[in-house]
Amino acid sequence: MNNKKPVLAFSALCAAAVVAVGGYLYHAKQRLPPAGGSAASAVTAPEPTATAALPAAPAASTLATALPPTDSADAAAHPPAAAPAATPTRPAPTVASASSATGRLFFRHTGMDEHYGQLAWREAARGGEAHFVAHLRCEVAHVSGGRGMCLTAERGVVTTYSAKLFDATTFAVTAELPLQGIPSRTRVSRDGRLAAYTVFAAGHGYTSLDFATRTVILDTATGRELLELENLAITKDGQPFKAKDFNFWGVTFTPDGKNFFATLSSGGQHYLLRGDIARRSATVLHDNVECPSVSPDATRVAYKKRYVVDGRIVWQFHVLDLKTLVETPLAEKRNVDDQIEWLDDAHVLYALASDSAAASTDVWTAPIDGKGAPSLYLRNAYSPATERFPKPAP
């Protein structure tokens, strides 16, 4: 009987210990955040931060001193050597502007890190985590209708260029073709069936007098060339228009994919073309238009307009109403060499050289009514593309 007392005492002690540990675990569990709570916020993008308003737009007489001496496209065209790929995602760059856009926003990452030059995207245009596509390092890119185009440069003893068509869901490359020149512009139609690109066959910028371009529209499913703009039948003021010095660039597709707008340069003038793909023809609509971009509702075209200030070429953004042909200058008064992307029907996106690094750019936004002030939209980004799809049939 006496031998049973120590056993009973030990059993009681064990039971008490189990109760104590269970109580501790219960209270510890109550202090942990639920799934998807504050613990997940550690890997989400930072909250948008306010951006100081820009100074008032300068008058035309002060334009020369107000504009920066270099173009954002020149800085973006010469990236540093590629670094080894790292993790596929990281916190997104800072967004500092509101909008009504809801689709994915694609862009070329220009932060000075291992992702420099990679295609990147965000689930929503205003926020969310940035994702990187390690096998797509682009000089310029565009995505629409579930398809994308990435113009690449392989730098070595001899630099080579190519265009890669890809599926915007899996990012698998579906076609690749060599480019005979330095990548400049690219666009994909809203339905994803067509893509266009412009390369410099000679020269490397639109400010020189001796540059030459090649601009092509192709089938995204096969990579097959459908139309080279040099072969268009063009009319101006109701008459055939043809010259040996024609150069074309900056294609933008209408929402139905049947027509396009582009720039035609000849004799020192820059014209807005409206083209018909099936007819292989185009008509001059307006003058002093470069790198047009048609609005989502197809009623307006945004573009850069060329000026010469103190012997230097500068560009200023305008929006043209296609029905009235009335121009509206935008509030952005800095010199921007870029093809505008429409964020929505009331705002546009474009890239400017960053203050933080010579080869980096940031994306800015401005309202198309010419009021207000531009604001910083996305840091460390270039070549923005707002994902769009065809409207469903009624």
Side-chain angles (χ1 to χ4, degrees):
M1 294 292 294
N2 291 339
N3 292 336
K4 292 182 179 181
K5 290 184 178 180
V7 173
L8 292 174
F10 178 76
S11 300
L13 181 61
C14 290
V18 169
V19 172
V21 171
Y24 172 80
L25 292 176
Y26 172 81
H27 288 290
K29 183 178 180 181
Q30 294 300 103
R31 297 176 60 186
L32 292 175
S38 59
S41 65
V43 295
T44 58
E47 289 295 321
T49 56
T51 301
L54 296 178
S61 60
T62 64
L63 191 60
T65 56
L67 297 172
T70 58
D71 299 330
S72 61
D74 289 339
H78 303 285
T87 55
T89 61
R90 68 186 313 164
T94 300
V95 173
S97 171
S99 78
S100 61
T102 57
R104 289 185 296 177
L105 180 72
F106 289 82
F107 56 95
R108 176 183 189 255
H109 179 66
T110 63
M112 297 293 101
D113 54 35
E114 68 273 18
H115 295 295
Y116 188 93
Q118 288 181 2
L119 179 71
W121 56 276
R122 300 157 61 95
E123 280 287 0
R126 283 196 61 217
E129 191 171 315
H131 304 262
F132 297 86
V133 185
H135 66 280
L136 289 175
R137 288 189 182 269
C138 312
E139 301 297 287
V140 62
H142 197 256
V143 176
S144 190
R147 299 270 186 169
M149 170 87 89
C150 171
L151 306 188
T152 71
E154 295 294 333
R155 291 179 170 83
V157 177
V158 176
T159 300
T160 59
Y161 307 99
S162 65
K164 295 181 179 181
L165 293 161
F166 60 89
D167 183 297
T169 301
T170 65
F171 299 103
V173 175
T174 57
E176 182 173 358
L177 53 150
L179 297 177
Q180 305 303 317
I182 301 172
S184 175
R185 311 293 184 202
T186 187
R187 281 294 186 270
V188 178
S189 62
R190 184 178 296 186
D191 60 12
R193 295 187 304 106
L194 303 172
Y197 68 80
T198 297
V199 298
F200 286 109
H204 63 277
Y206 299 103
T207 58
S208 65
L209 299 176
D210 58 350
F211 74 88
T213 62
R214 183 171 188 262
T215 299
V216 171
I217 294 174
L218 50 81
D219 181 345
T220 58
T222 63
R224 181 173 63 91
E225 183 176 310
L226 300 176
L227 174 65
E228 182 174 356
L229 268 60
E230 287 281 352
N231 298 323
L232 287 169
I234 299 173
T235 59
K236 180 177 181 290
D237 300 325
Q239 300 297 320
F241 185 40
K242 185 67 177 176
K244 292 182 178 180
D245 68 343
F246 275 6
N247 276 302
F248 303 85
W249 64 88
V251 167
T252 179
F253 295 100
T254 56
D256 61 10
K258 297 179 180 179
N259 300 95
F260 66 91
F261 295 91
T263 294
L264 163 63
S265 170
S266 179
Q269 302 298 313
H270 304 86
Y271 304 102
L272 175 65
L273 287 182
R274 180 182 174 90
D276 186 307
I277 297 172
R279 295 177 180 271
R280 297 176 173 265
S281 62
T283 303
V284 172
L285 289 185
H286 203 64
D287 60 358
N288 201 358
V289 171
E290 296 185 57
C291 295
S293 180
V294 67
S295 63
D297 61 8
T299 63
R300 290 151 295 177
V301 169
Y303 54 93
K304 57 181 188 175
K305 191 170 182 177
R306 179 179 296 227
Y307 296 91
V308 178
V309 179
D310 293 339
R312 183 165 63 93
I313 293 173
V314 297
W315 288 283
Q316 298 288 275
F317 285 147
H318 289 69
V319 171
L320 179 71
D321 186 300
L322 290 172
K323 184 177 181 179
T324 64
L325 296 184
V326 172
E327 291 182 324
T328 300
L330 299 194
E332 177 59 81
K333 298 304 177 184
R334 291 169 292 182
N335 182 27
V336 188
D337 180 10
D338 197 14
Q339 184 171 12
I340 280 177
E341 170 75 353
W342 288 78
L343 177 61
D344 50 40
D345 282 321
H347 302 83
V348 293
L349 300 173
Y350 50 91
L352 272 166
S354 172
D355 294 333
S356 60
S360 182
T361 55
D362 299 323
V363 169
W364 289 69
T365 185
I368 58 106
D369 60 5
K371 301 176 181 179
S375 59
L376 181 63
Y377 187 77
L378 186 62
R379 295 189 185 278
N380 301 326
Y382 179 71
S383 191
T386 305
E387 185 177 38
R388 290 188 172 88
F389 292 91
K391 292 183 178 180

